[in-house]
Amino acid sequence: MFYIYCPYCEEHREEEEFHASGEAHIPRPSDPDNCTDAEWGEYLFFRTNPRGLHHELWVHGIGCRKFFNITRDTVSYEIKETYKIGAKPQFTHAEEKV
Amino acid sequence: MFDVNKSMQTVQMNLIPNDVSVRAETPLHHVDLATIATQGAQDRNIKIQELALLDHLVLRGHADNAALTTGIQSVMGVSLPINLQSVEKEGQVIRWISPDEWLITTPHGTGFALEQQLRNAISTHCAVVNVSGGQTVITVEGAGTEEMLRKCTPYDIHISNMPVGKVVTSLFGKAQAVIRRTGEQQFEVVIRRSFSDYCWLWLQDSCREFGFTVKL
């Protein structure tokens, strides 16, 4: 259907080889024993649903089997960039902290 | 103090029994390639061969770790291949699978010795695991092979994109396979045991318009 650039294989690969794994950059509460139920619930269950730029976790499941991130436009479905785990995205909202 | 090398040596066990009374069956055992090889015309364009019962080792470690690369070099006489590349020497092949994973195949019966040599030679954090029972290797060659394989994988296997020696893990039908180009019209596919029947049927079907012969 279309190609996605795998930052680990370092080439464009068929979309069929990839799988989306939800929102990226969700920090685990640093002290789970002492965080509130609301904070823990927020971490476990609540996800943003932005119109526009969205950072997502994807996996090259039929390939190198590495997880990586994609910045995608949820309106146009355009993939702005793909980057390795641990790297910072280049495309962000002004108010976003990643 | 816990000695990593010592503990690795003490747990080494040959997962492939030398006992000849234990019958080894390849994942394509049920297909009975020996019988198929005798049937039909023997001059078909596409030649299929199973490299049965090779020993498969998965090597994991950090590619930027010098102790790993020099260890491999000293044991196998080749350097670890970089992204999407493979190296071959004296029947041993190393395929790049992911940035920290390689698949090594070696002739039947030599896997355990190689595994021991690698563990003893690599002084750093790494893993060498024998996965021989889980997969098998099929080679496909002859005129029309590239055209035939285009029906099997969405990956662009044209020689400009996939020169000899390049290896990719991609789809084979709907299953996963490690596809390597070994010649202009020569490929090698590593398939999983659980998908072997499916891959065989898919391959057979893809070859229908070209005709194929099974080599033993």
Side-chain angles (χ1 to χ4, degrees):
Chain A
M1 294 292 283
F2 60 90
Y3 291 117
I4 295 172
Y5 184 83
C6 172
Y8 292 97
C9 291
E10 296 173 348
E11 67 174 13
H12 285 86
R13 300 291 279 265
E14 178 66 33
E15 161 258 342
E16 213 179 336
E17 295 180 7
F18 297 88
H19 200 83
S21 299
E23 190 179 333
H25 306 298
I26 301 169
R28 181 183 165 91
S30 55
D31 189 2
D33 289 336
N34 294 313
C35 73
T36 64
D37 283 355
E39 281 170 346
W40 190 249
E42 183 76 23
Y43 162 68
L44 275 188
F45 303 116
F46 289 84
R47 299 292 178 259
T48 57
N49 184 21
R51 179 182 168 84
L53 284 185
H54 190 212
H55 303 293
E56 295 171 343
L57 187 66
W58 283 64
V59 60
H60 192 188
I62 302 177
C64 63
R65 305 201 297 270
K66 290 282 177 199
F67 282 85
F68 61 98
N69 296 321
I70 287 183
T71 308
R72 202 171 59 92
D73 191 315
T74 58
V75 178
S76 65
Y77 300 138
E78 183 194 354
I79 293 173
K80 299 282 189 188
E81 60 175 338
T82 64
Y83 52 101
K84 292 180 181 178
I85 296 292
K88 297 274 183 196
Q90 289 177 357
F91 296 83
T92 51
H93 293 299
E95 70 278 13
E96 202 175 27
K97 286 177 191 162
V98 186
Chain B
M1 196 184 142
F2 181 71
D3 184 340
V4 176
N5 291 322
K6 199 171 179 182
S7 75
M8 283 204 296
Q9 279 163 17
T10 52
V11 296
Q12 285 182 29
M13 187 185 92
N14 189 356
L15 295 176
I16 304 165
N18 293 319
D19 184 356
V20 286
S21 67
V22 180
R23 191 180 58 187
E25 290 185 355
T26 87
L28 290 173
H29 175 80
H30 66 289
V31 172
D32 193 11
L33 292 172
T35 304
I36 297 178
T38 62
Q39 294 168 341
Q42 299 294 307
D43 56 352
R44 303 288 195 196
N45 284 335
I46 295 179
K47 309 237 177 337
I48 300 174
Q49 184 178 22
E50 186 196 6
L51 304 181
L53 301 176
L54 292 181
D55 288 355
H56 298 234
L57 302 177
V58 163
L59 169 74
R60 302 210 61 164
H62 290 288
D64 49 4
N65 191 332
L68 178 73
T69 46
T70 54
I72 293 287
Q73 179 78 42
S74 67
V75 173
M76 302 188 66
V78 288
S79 43
L80 271 183
I82 54 160
N83 281 21
L84 305 172
Q85 296 302 315
S86 66
V87 291
E88 186 167 2
K89 192 186 181 190
E90 291 158 10
Q92 294 183 329
V93 185
I94 312 181
R95 299 166 190 78
W96 183 91
I97 299 289
S98 94
D100 54 9
E101 182 175 348
W102 293 266
L103 173 66
I104 303 171
T105 52
T106 178
H108 180 59
T110 62
F112 184 52
L114 180 63
E115 185 183 337
Q116 284 178 312
Q117 285 173 356
L118 287 175
R119 288 188 177 190
N120 294 335
I122 301 169
S123 55
T124 185
H125 178 67
C126 77
V128 185
V129 179
N130 189 324
V131 295
S132 308
Q135 49 202 26
T136 192
V137 184
I138 297 175
T139 61
V140 198
E141 60 183 303
T145 298
E146 185 180 312
E147 209 179 332
M148 184 277 291
L149 274 181
R150 277 188 214 141
K151 296 196 279 188
C152 303
T153 176
Y155 191 74
D156 178 9
I157 57 171
H158 189 269
I159 194 140
S160 62
N161 186 57
M162 190 173 183
V164 174
K166 188 167 178 178
V167 57
V168 292
T169 308
S170 188
L171 286 155
F172 190 92
K174 291 285 174 192
Q176 187 197 52
V178 182
I179 305 168
R180 183 167 77 107
R181 192 184 210 115
T182 49
E184 198 178 320
Q185 288 291 345
Q186 196 177 10
F187 291 84
E188 177 209 79
V189 187
V190 183
I191 56 170
R192 302 275 186 175
R193 177 174 282 269
S194 52
F195 292 124
S196 61
D197 185 53
Y198 168 82
C199 290
W200 168 253
L201 293 175
W202 185 287
L203 187 66
Q204 211 176 10
D205 194 42
S206 302
C207 287
R208 185 172 289 175
E209 64 179 291
F210 304 94
F212 74 93
T213 307
V214 170
K215 285 204 303 184
L216 289 177

